[in-house]
Structure formats: structure tokens, C-alpha cells
Amino acid sequence: MRVMFASLEGSHFQLMVPMAWALRTAGHEVRVACKRDLADAVTQAGLTAVPVECPPWQEGLGRFHTAAIARCNELDTTELEQERPSWETLLAYESLVVPALWSRLNRDEMIDGLVEYARFWRPDLVLWESFCMAGPVAALASGAAHARLVSGPDMALQMGVRREFVRRSAELPPENREDPTAEWLDSTLERIGCDRRFDETMLTGQWIIDSRPASMREDLGLTTVPVRYVPYNGRCVVPAWLREPPARPRVCLTLGTSIDSDYALFDLDTMLNALMGTLAEMDVEVVAAIAPTQRALLREVPGNVRVVDFVPIDDLLPTCAAVVHHGGYQTKATAELHAVPQVIVTGWEWVSEGMGRDYERQGTLLAVSLREFSAELFRERLERVLGDPSFAENSRRVRDELLAMRTPNDIVPTIEELTAGHLASAPGTGPRS
């Protein structure tokens, strides 16, 4: 079987690596179609890269993207949390997501490159990460089956909003229905010469491979293959100091690598120094794994803080009593795997305040929104997750859920069966290898 993975950027690709390894070691041919700047990360993982000539994903975003994030977060925090938001609100949300996110992340160059390679290589299956709409487009263009590998909350994908949008659209007279997502993808399929047209599987996948425990998954009415989350941090070296047991409760602080002082939604300088000042006053040991651009903003490094550019989080978190982070799924899932309570900062990019409230229901973490952020509120949240035993207990419950799930190697036969079934049912197609 030929399997093409499709990913937009590095951290999203890392979430796919264990599944790619499992398929490769089971004897299947695996290729990773990606932007050229991701090719080194793919080959370092021992996989074969197919570079696509396309600018880095950040280049296409710009001020409109930032303004749209702020507006979508505002809608998510207010009108979209109503039991039945207005049609106008739902349409406004869809109308922002397409030009501000989907079409900017999935530029024509990216789509064309994936389609060209898929038509040449003829994969049986395209596995795509949640933001890579170029994946299902390439699958439809080449006659492949396709599945979405979910490694984060479907709320980040606007799936809940999308479901409500589709339901409400069906209640309207045909002449009053608008669907910016369908219009964009229909025009894309027409542009590449594909006779297929949009359906909801281009957003959901024909089936789903989901690394979240059952208690955190949404039911989209599709075949879902649960798979255990397996951390992959890229090329790593474990530092010697990590072997020394901490003298005080250890707290990890990380804000990812893409947030810097140019980030327009909040004042990183003020927030980062407030975090450091608060942690300096607490009886904890801190490992701040922050990017050099973030480190440059620190006015001083407290005596109880060790600042590092990078440390393998899969090795660091088992030594921690808590982790403070930006809502990145790798950090969150790795913390869950090691039963580490969390404090997350929400309201940046597509990690919305509503998502933070959903996360809190798990009982493993507390959220602090950027709009409400203060040193006092942050300290209160961190002291609670460190001092209230329910957070550790719930974290262990979630860890047990994860460890009970099948590994990537275990689900390969299921993927083979689903792929064969979809190819057999598609007109004029069948197994290619």
C-alpha cells in the first residue's frame, strides 16, 4: 500500500511521525509531502520527503489573519457559546475562517504541488493533519482514500461551529444559503481539473485516526480509529542535569517557538516577565524552555529558574509537578501521557477562551485567558493545580485512558482494511499496489 502524509508545518508533522513509522515498518511505502522548509525535519525522522515549492506557512498570514483571530475569539467567547447562535454569527465565523486561515495555510502552490505528486505517485491513502486541506484535495484528484489524523481539539478546527452551520443552512431556502468553505474548495477542485465537488469529508476525512482519549473526543458520526499518543520531539539530546532529582516541585514553562514580540494579540514582554516574577516568588524550581527571541525579552532570570532553548519535553515532564504552556497540543498531550497537571494560556491564535473552558472540564488543568491575564491570577491558578490533589488524580485517570489505547503499530491492520474498503467502493478504482 502507498501512503502519502500531508502536513503544513513542523509541530503538526511531528504528531504524525509515529503513525508514519508504524506503516513503514509494516512494509508499506510512505512519502511525506511538505513545504520545502520542512524537508529536513522529515528526513531527520527517517522518512522520505517530497518537497513542494511553496512559501513558509507564516508568510501568507499577515495582519488580516491576526485581526480575524481576535474577532473569532470574540465570537467564540460570546455569541457562539449560546445554545443557538444566530445564522448571521455562524456565517460571519465561516466567512472569516476561509480567507484568514484555510486558504492562507493551504495556498494554491501547496495544493498544486500535492496534487501533481499524488497524480504521479498514485497513493492508495492520503493521511492529512487537521489544518492541511491540500491533503483531501490531492486525494480526490488522484482517486485515493483519505483520512484525517486528529491530534488536537476539533474546536480548534471549528468543527462544532461547522456542524451547527450545516444544520442551520439546511433550514434556509436554497437561494439564501451561503457556504464560503464549500465555495472555496469547489473552485479549487475545478481549478485543478477534478470532477469531484465539495462534501464534508474534505473537512473531517472519510474516517478519522484520533489520538485523544475517548473522554475528549467529539462524535462526528464517522468511523474513528483511536490510537495512543506517542511523543516525538525531533532530534533530541537529553541534558545531564535532567538526571538530577529536583529539590523542590519542578514547573516547566514553555510558550512554543512561534510567539515573539511581534505577536500583535498581546504584549509578550509584559506577560513573560510577569510569569517570571511570579515564579520567582514561589517555592518551586522552574525550567523555562523558551525560544531565543522570547529569552531576549527577560529583564532578569530569577535564581530558581533554569532557562534553556530546548529540552526534550517527553524527558522533562516526568520530572515535573506542573507545566505552564500556550495550549500547544504536543505539550498538552505529553503532559497527559505523564499525568502532569497543567496551566494553559488561551486566546492566542486558535487556542480560544472557549477551548480553555472545555479543557478545564477534564479536571487536569486550569486556563488563563490573555484578556484577563495578571500575575495574581496566574499565581492563583498555578497554586491550585500544585496544591489541589484532584488535578493530579484526574491527570492519572487521563493517563490510564491513553495507555489503554492501541499503539500506532496495533492499528495498521485497521487502516489497511478501511483503505481497501474505500477504494473498492469508489467507482473505477481499486488497490494500486
Side-chain angles (χ1 to χ4, degrees), residues 74-207:
E74 180 184 332
L75 289 170
D76 181 52
T77 305
T78 55
E79 299 174 56
L80 290 172
E81 288 205 338
Q82 298 175 15
E83 185 173 338
R84 187 174 169 84
S86 70
W87 166 251
E88 289 76 16
T89 296
L90 292 166
L91 181 58
Y93 198 73
E94 284 281 322
S95 298
L96 282 172
V97 166
V98 173
L101 184 65
W102 298 141
S103 64
R104 295 196 179 212
L105 292 177
N106 296 272
R107 297 165 64 129
D108 287 351
E109 302 99 313
M110 178 71 175
I111 291 172
D112 293 349
L114 262 66
V115 168
E116 179 184 15
Y117 185 72
R119 283 173 168 163
F120 162 76
W121 195 55
R122 301 281 288 168
D124 299 287
L125 173 65
V126 176
L127 282 179
W128 49 284
E129 49 99 344
S130 292
F131 290 90
C132 191
M133 302 303 172
V137 172
L140 266 60
S142 62
H146 66 91
R148 182 168 60 101
L149 202 157
V150 178
S151 298
D154 268 352
M155 184 179 287
L157 249 185
Q158 295 84 40
M159 282 298 177
V161 178
R162 178 68 191 178
R163 289 198 298 274
E164 181 65 13
F165 176 85
V166 171
R167 283 194 293 267
R168 298 289 290 282
S169 179
E171 297 172 359
L172 297 173
E175 64 272 16
N176 292 341
R177 295 174 190 168
E178 295 180 57
D179 191 337
T181 302
E183 291 169 10
W184 167 57
L185 288 169
D186 273 342
S187 66
T188 298
L189 292 168
E190 185 174 1
R191 182 179 62 77
I192 64 170
C194 179
D195 59 5
R196 299 283 295 277
R197 288 298 174 262
F198 171 80
D199 64 56
E200 293 298 316
T201 67
M202 295 187 72
L203 304 179
T204 62
Q206 292 173 327
W207 74 89

Side-chain angles (χ1 to χ4, degrees), residues 266-309:
F266 64 96
D267 182 353
L268 177 63
D269 187 329
T270 299
M271 188 186 81
L272 189 56
N273 282 286
L275 288 170
M276 284 297 182
T278 301
L279 292 167
E281 298 170 356
M282 298 179 66
D283 187 24
V284 294
E285 172 192 312
V286 180
V287 177
I290 57 178
T293 54
Q294 298 164 356
R295 184 174 187 169
L297 299 175
L298 295 179
R299 300 182 194 117
E300 62 177 316
V301 178
N304 65 336
V305 176
R306 181 194 297 269
V307 178
V308 295
D309 292 343

Side-chain angles (χ1 to χ4, degrees), residues 19 27-28 90 104 106 138 183 199 207 233 236 250 260 271 278 290 302 311 317 341 354 381 387 397 431-432:
M19 194 70 252
H28 298 294
L90 292 166
R104 295 196 179 212
N106 296 272
E183 291 169 10
D199 64 56
W207 74 89
N233 300 135
C236 297
R250 178 176 284 167
D260 57 29
M271 188 186 81
T278 301
I290 57 178
V311 62
L317 288 188
R381 295 285 197 272
R397 172 183 53 77
R432 294 109 182 266

Side-chain angles (χ1 to χ4, degrees), residues 311-327:
V311 62
I313 200 164
D314 190 34
D315 294 279
L316 172 61
L317 288 188
T319 73
C320 293
V323 56
V324 178
H325 64 97
H326 58 303

